[in-house]
Amino acid sequence: MASINGRQRTHRMTVGELSRRTGVPVKTLREYTDLGLIYTLGRSASNYRLFDTDALWCVHWVGELRSLGLTVAEIRELTTAWQGGDGQPTGRRLAQLLDRSRTRLEQRIAAQQQMLHRIEEFKSEHQADLAEGDFCWAGDPRCASRT
């Protein structure tokens, strides 16, 4: 390990090794790097992206925030605010983004509950037809020949 700015560094990793260690696809890691979501050491003489163990932490937290429903754009917004110091505390910004994620999730749940209700209404309305096992849609011209 080398010491840089008083910090101990571990060995350098390529994007392939970072992918193997995190289980995140290389394509996704490249996208995250291009968006500034993952700490990078830059590129090697052969132009490979290089990372150290700090990148493992970044990938973990991006994954954690994604699992909480934040979009990549929202994570980038948070990262940009933190790096740029826009005056708003990062914790407060994260709380706002989590509230936004909660609202989106509640809307999806409501839509799914509405669909469940529609399924039950449909089944109730067409109970006899469904029990026969040969359902014909009302007005289907192919069903007219069966009656």
Side-chain angles (χ1 to χ4, degrees):
M1 283 194 267
S3 176
I4 300 176
N5 295 333
R7 291 185 52 219
Q8 294 295 316
R9 293 281 195 183
T10 59
H11 77 284
R12 296 173 180 206
M13 293 179 273
T14 63
V15 70
E17 183 178 347
L18 183 60
S19 175
R20 283 188 297 279
R21 292 183 68 178
T22 61
V24 176
V26 168
K27 182 178 178 180
T28 302
L29 292 173
R30 286 182 180 137
E31 177 187 352
Y32 290 172
T33 302
D34 291 345
L35 291 171
L37 304 181
I38 301 176
Y39 298 146
T40 179
L41 297 174
R43 292 187 176 262
S44 70
S46 304
N47 207 29
Y48 288 106
R49 297 168 197 251
L50 294 175
F51 305 90
D52 64 9
T53 54
D54 290 349
L56 296 170
W57 177 87
C58 292
V59 173
H60 166 78
W61 279 105
V62 169
E64 182 75 16
L65 294 173
R66 295 285 291 138
S67 76
L68 294 171
L70 270 64
T71 65
V72 171
E74 289 170 334
I75 296 169
R76 177 152 168 63
E77 176 185 326
L78 184 66
T79 303
T80 301
W82 178 79
Q83 291 172 340
D86 67 353
Q88 183 178 15
T90 307
R92 188 172 302 145
R93 174 70 59 92
L94 177 55
Q96 292 169 346
L97 293 173
L98 289 170
D99 288 342
R100 192 184 306 170
S101 178
R102 174 190 287 273
T103 299
R104 282 192 305 264
L105 181 58
E106 288 169 343
Q107 290 169 345
R108 285 195 306 268
I109 290 170
Q112 295 297 308
Q113 288 174 330
Q114 184 178 20
M115 188 182 303
L116 282 171
H117 181 71
R118 289 177 42 222
I119 289 169
E120 291 307 315
E121 282 182 338
F122 185 91
K123 285 180 67 180
S124 178
E125 185 177 323
H126 299 285
Q127 187 174 9
D129 295 326
L130 293 171
E132 291 178 17
D134 192 20
F135 184 81
C136 280
W137 293 99
D140 185 341
R142 295 172 293 177
C143 291
S145 63
R146 294 184 193 166
T147 57

